[in-house]
Structure formats: C-alpha cells, structure tokens
Amino acid sequence: MSSLVLAERLARVRPPASLMARERAVRLKRAGHDIADLTIGEPDFPLPPHVTQAISDAASRGATRYTSTSGTIELREAIQAKFRRENGISYEVAEVVVGSGAKQLIHAAMGATVQAGDEVIVPTPYWVSYPDLVRLHGATPVFVACTVERGFKLVPEKLEAAISPRTRWLVINSPNNPSGAVYDAEELRALGDVLRRHERVWILTDEIYEHFCYDGTRTSSLAAAAPHLRDRILTVNGVSKTYGMTGLRIGYAGGPRDLMKAIEALLMQSTSCPNSIGQAAAVAALNGPQDCVREAVAAFSDKRDLLVSSLSAVEGVELTVPSGAFYVYLGVRQLLGGRAPGGGVLETDADFALFLLEHAGVATVAGAGYGLSPYLRLSFAGSRSTVGDGGRRIAEALSSIDGGSVG
Ligand code: PLP
C-alpha cells in the first residue's frame, strides 16, 4: 500500500470538464473512431508568420534564459501599449504582469488574496476553472445563475443580492465561455454602479475572448467602462486565443501595483518567469500587424453560422446565437426524458453528451461542468469540416430522440 498522503486541498479541485471530454475524444480517435471533436476552445489557425519568425529569431539570438518574473520589459511595454490602444486603459509597466497563461495569473491572484471564509462571486455559466481556483485557496465560490432569459448575463439586482460582508471578488468574463454572452459598456457601467457601493469587493475581469465578437457586437473593457473601479480591477487577458498561441503559455494582467506585486511574489515561487521564447512571440504578436486577428474573427464568424444553421431546424433545442467567444451553449431542457434510439432515457446533459459521443461520434461538453444545466457546450474553434460534420451529426442525433417533455 502506498504511504502517499495527499493534501486536503487536492480534494477541492476537479479536472476541467472540457479537458476530460477532450481526452476522451482523443482516445476514441486514436482507437480508430470517427469523432467530430467540438470540445476544446483552441483556435485551429496557424501562427501568424511574423510570430513564427520571432520564435526562431529569439532562439537564434539565445533568448532562452530566465527573464524577470513579471516578464521582459519589451513584452510589458507591448502589453501596456495594447491596453492603451485597444482597451483605453492606461497601466504603468509596473502594473502589468506576464504569466504562463491567463489561468496561472488567476490562480496567483486568488492565491495572493483569498482564504477560508472569503467568498468569490462567480456568475453561471462560468469557465470551468474559476470555482476550482477559488476553492483551491480555501475560499467559497458563490454562484449567481445568469439564465438565458437575461442573455446569460449578470444583472445589477442579482449582483447586489449576492454581495455579502465576506465577498472579496466578483469574476466577470466577457465575451463569455461557455455562453458567448458579451457585456456592452452600458451593462458594465450598471454593474459598476452596484460595485461603487461595495468598496471591499474587487473585480477580476477575464477578457481573453475580447476580439471574438460577431455581427458588429462591441465589447468593452471593465476598467474603461467603469474607471472609478480602476484601483480594484484585475484585467486578465492573453495571447492564447487571439493569436492561436495556446501552447506557448503566455497570459498577462493589469491592475493596481500592490496586487501585481503580490501576484509576482507567488510567481517567483512557482514558474520563476514565463517561457522566454513565448514572450518574444507575444511581443511580435502584440506589436505586429493585426490583420491575422481580423481574418481569424471572420473565419470564426463563418463557422459559428455554419454550426447555428445545422442546429436551427432541430425541434426542442434552445439555440442562442452567441455574440462572442467560440462556443454555442445549446439548451436541451425540452428533450430531457426523451428516449435514445437504443432505448436509454436521457435524463441529464451528461447523458446527452454521452449519447452524442456514442451514437453520433461527436464530442461535446455537458453544461454541468459550467454550472448551468441542462446545456451542451459546442466549440466552433476547430476546423470548418469538423464544425460542419459535428453540427450535422448533432442535428440528426437529436432529431432521432423519441419523446422528452417536448414530444
Ligand atoms: N479564461 C477563459 C475564459 C478561458 O476560456 C481560458 C481557456 O480556455 C483561459 C482563461 C485560459 O487561458 P490561457 O491559455 O491563457 O491560460
């Protein structure tokens, strides 16, 4: 028997539902099954050529050493300029920290600021990692359901009702993973009016999908929409989604200097610094031509339309066309209780995800992982053919369900 004793905190984290679903899809593919994988939020486009060039230049000139923990000065200046140019926020270089992905920065922000007894407000549906990153550090996520009737968005009354004397943070994610909801400046200002009255509450705004907005939808950065909150906002962003650089692991954040120093203190005792080649690539991405971003957004808009058009004729599903990010959050409430062609009754969104995988060869993620059921998250970040195939297969499979509360 092993003498390994696991820390109690390990019991507070679960593997992210999206990664688990993806791994299952990959295993099936390796075993020779034909699977259309709509699980993962990873752009399919190649690195822009100037970014590839920057990687090879960085390697050739020996930029392969430790950098400062918060990131190279070149990258922090590029981020500072980006925040000013694209978001209308002015951060000093000392107010910018680079991490090994946005996820690491959220982890460090929680690690630096919360403990047992603290609460963090997490609107649902949420990105899978927020609750676990809160729990990992002993605090309690307080969920606020943001239903489809309100566009999956947090509204001021609900925010007000969720705030307690123990609230330390509110997490906002716009454009949202998994719902695709995008808050406009007016909606953010309305939330800001509530937060004005609660000076102890800080706000973590995750803007990593900021460029992925469709049909002319415009998003705003919270610190620009509600500048009076600036000194208690942590603006989190990164290059993973915008430039298709997920594996290079570079995220960044801007916020008040004392918070950034606290985050840096934790990074010093974890990764020491973000990967140096990735940082050089991020400088090229942020400072270089941005046509690649416009092209990516146009391609994603087209894939979104393709997926939505396959699903629009399916009876009994609740289809909300996402304004942003790269997911469709498909409601299956009316199909619950329906019978699959093999005879099994589909009671939960997890049953639907399994049914689609086994019956139709399409991998999706059940809404339970995002805190709002019964939904399926369908990513349209993959190739056009995968998205097209996936949409067709889902439509056929869901149409073959017998009964449910709709039938
Ligand atoms: N924030 C959201 C909302 C995400 O969906 C993701 C990745 O899926 C991340 C952060 C993580 O980004 P990074 O790759 O920079 O860690």
Side-chain angles (χ1 to χ4, degrees):
M1 214 172 74
S2 163
S3 58
L4 178 67
V5 177
L6 296 175
E8 180 265 329
R9 81 173 67 82
L10 197 67
R12 298 187 219 134
V13 292
R14 299 154 303 166
S18 47
L19 293 186
M20 297 294 282
R22 198 222 190 161
E23 276 174 21
R24 196 164 55 187
V26 168
R27 269 199 308 277
L28 286 169
K29 273 189 183 172
R30 280 212 195 101
H33 297 272
D34 169 23
I35 304 290
D37 184 358
L38 305 188
T39 60
I40 209 78
E42 179 161 65
D44 69 324
F45 50 84
L47 274 188
H50 59 281
V51 176
T52 314
Q53 187 63 48
I55 290 173
S56 87
D57 291 350
S60 310
R61 70 168 184 271
T64 48
R65 312 276 183 204
Y66 293 130
T67 71
S68 78
T69 298
S70 299
T72 61
I73 192 74
E74 293 78 16
L75 179 52
R76 285 192 289 153
E77 281 176 356
I79 293 164
Q80 178 191 39
K82 179 266 179 238
F83 273 133
R84 194 166 296 146
R85 179 177 74 236
E86 294 187 345
N87 307 108
I89 318 174
S90 115
Y91 284 123
E92 317 238 329
V93 169
E95 293 177 312
V96 171
V97 169
V98 181
S100 302
K103 187 189 274 183
Q104 187 192 32
L105 290 164
I106 300 171
H107 184 286
M110 291 299 124
T113 59
V114 303
Q115 52 214 340
D118 291 339
E119 293 178 353
V120 176
I121 297 175
V122 181
T124 73
Y126 47 69
W127 176 47
V128 284
S129 291
Y130 300 135
D132 282 11
L133 293 176
V134 170
R135 288 193 194 102
L136 190 57
H137 298 290
T140 306
V142 172
F143 300 118
V144 182
C146 300
T147 55
V148 64
E149 292 77 22
R150 307 296 291 265
F152 295 115
K153 290 185 217 179
L154 180 63
V155 290
E157 322 73 273
K158 285 202 166 191
L159 171 59
E160 182 75 66
I163 295 175
S164 86
R166 290 180 297 282
T167 308
R168 299 294 310 279
W169 288 92
L170 161 70
V171 177
I172 295 185
N173 170 218
S174 169
N176 179 268
N177 173 7
S179 72
V182 180
Y183 292 69
D184 64 22
E186 201 50 49
E187 290 162 330
L188 292 173
R189 264 195 288 277
L191 295 175
D193 288 343
V194 173
L195 293 159
R196 191 196 291 275
R197 299 192 284 275
H198 298 277
E199 287 180 4
R200 287 185 64 255
V201 180
W202 285 56
I203 308 98
L204 188 159
T205 169
D206 181 342
E207 303 180 356
I208 201 156
Y209 292 99
E210 64 179 341
H211 291 286
F212 295 91
C213 288
Y214 310 111
D215 305 331
T217 303
R218 285 178 64 86
T219 180
S220 172
S221 215
L222 180 66
H228 58 96
L229 297 176
R230 183 200 184 278
D231 287 341
R232 47 192 170 111
I233 291 177
L234 179 67
T235 306
V236 175
N237 209 321
V239 291
S240 287
K241 313 287 178 180
T242 308
Y243 303 99
M245 291 167 60
T246 44
L248 288 161
R249 309 305 304 128
I250 299 293
Y252 55 87
R257 202 180 284 216
D258 48 355
L259 172 63
M260 305 323 278
K261 277 182 89 101
I263 289 174
E264 188 187 26
L266 287 187
L267 300 184
M268 275 179 188
Q269 294 297 11
S270 57
T271 41
S272 297
C273 71
N275 117 47
S276 58
I277 299 281
Q279 291 190 66
V283 171
L286 292 171
N287 287 347
Q290 300 297 304
D291 338 3
C292 52
V293 180
R294 284 184 283 279
E295 283 161 21
V297 175
F300 277 49
S301 175
D302 168 61
K303 289 191 286 186
R304 177 200 66 156
D305 293 348
L306 180 67
L307 185 56
V308 164
S309 75
S310 313
L311 300 171
S312 56
V314 183
E315 229 187 298
V317 295
E318 166 203 302
L319 175 62
T320 305
V321 180
S323 305
F326 25 78
Y327 312 98
V328 167
Y329 206 49
L330 186 71
V332 292
R333 183 175 305 283
Q334 293 191 59
L335 296 175
L336 290 180
R339 205 167 275 284
V345 176
L346 303 168
E347 318 251 24
T348 63
D349 49 25
D351 291 346
F352 274 84
L354 193 62
F355 161 69
L356 289 176
L357 186 64
E358 290 179 345
H359 181 86
V362 50
T364 62
V365 192
Y370 304 93
L372 192 73
S373 288
Y375 286 88
L376 295 167
R377 192 193 75 164
L378 317 175
S379 166
F380 51 87
S383 72
R384 198 173 191 283
S385 71
T386 301
V387 172
D389 271 358
R392 241 187 335 273
R393 291 180 195 188
I394 293 173
E396 269 172 34
L398 292 183
S399 303
S400 73
I401 291 172
D402 188 18
S405 48
V406 77

